[in-house]
Amino acid sequence: MPVLVVNVDHVATLRQARMGSEPEPITAAHLAEMGGAQGIIVHLREDRRHIQDRDLSLLKATLTANLHLEMAATDEMHRIALEVQPHMICLVPEKREELTTEGGLQCMGREDFLRSYLAPFKARNIYTSLFIDAEPEQIQAAASAGADYIEIHTGHYADARDHPARQAELEKIISGIKQAGSLGLRVNLGHGLNYQNILAFSGVKSICEFSIGHSIISRAVMVGIKEAVAQMNEIIRSFSP
């Protein structure tokens, strides 16, 4: 059965809007744990626009759930991640001007670099993941680079303009899941998933984790983080194996 991992970046975004001390993403992460999250995700961006270094350290020290770190493939992030030793790292593309991650990582043609970059993490038993679009050549490249997981970018599916376009994106994702499994990759899904569009993945086999942040934090404004996470977790737990 897939599990829910919750991204708390947007709690830090609200804190940084005033450059103060609240709301506290560490508290949010623990409330998400109480709501049933099996993991907590944070993206330590190069510009530190939301999550800060101290957040990462405190989460590592206090979480019971697994800590997942999204990061750009830079020397600085490599050093930080090896020091913190999260449960999993996920390499994502990162542009300073983007509001949120806009697409998948370019793996094709970079297999040697990625293999070398990931090797120290694998040596320390830290799981490695690559955030990619559901394109056959990118999935093949991710396998060639030696990643343990891929996280398939579901943003194109979530943002599709109409039902036929959405269905086409869904079919690409499902095909990508099957291809990844045949190559020995484990699969997570994330970006733009919410309480409605996630239902299309009920019964889809071989999904390990759903990575969800924005829609949960948005609902949490109304009902609280623990309840918002519990509601999403209930949906995922209802999926057929």
Side-chain angles (χ1 to χ4, degrees), residues 1-3 148-152 173-189 201-210 239-241:
M1 293 290 292
V3 300
D148 301 304
Y149 287 78
I150 57 171
E151 180 176 332
I152 293 181
I173 293 168
I174 293 173
S175 178
I177 293 170
K178 292 178 180 177
Q179 179 190 358
S182 72
L183 295 170
L185 290 165
R186 285 168 278 185
V187 181
N188 302 331
L189 300 184
F201 296 99
S202 176
V204 177
K205 296 180 180 179
S206 302
I207 300 170
C208 295
E209 298 176 350
F210 288 101
F239 287 1
S240 301

Side-chain angles (χ1 to χ4, degrees), residues 178-229:
K178 292 178 180 177
Q179 179 190 358
S182 72
L183 295 170
L185 290 165
R186 285 168 278 185
V187 181
N188 302 331
L189 300 184
H191 203 83
L193 295 176
N194 60 38
Y195 295 83
Q196 290 76 44
N197 62 28
I198 195 173
L199 296 174
F201 296 99
S202 176
V204 177
K205 296 180 180 179
S206 302
I207 300 170
C208 295
E209 298 176 350
F210 288 101
S211 168
I212 305 176
H214 187 266
S215 66
I216 288 176
I217 301 305
S218 297
R219 182 166 292 198
V221 172
M222 307 301 175
V223 304
I225 290 177
K226 181 180 176 182
E227 178 61 22
V229 172

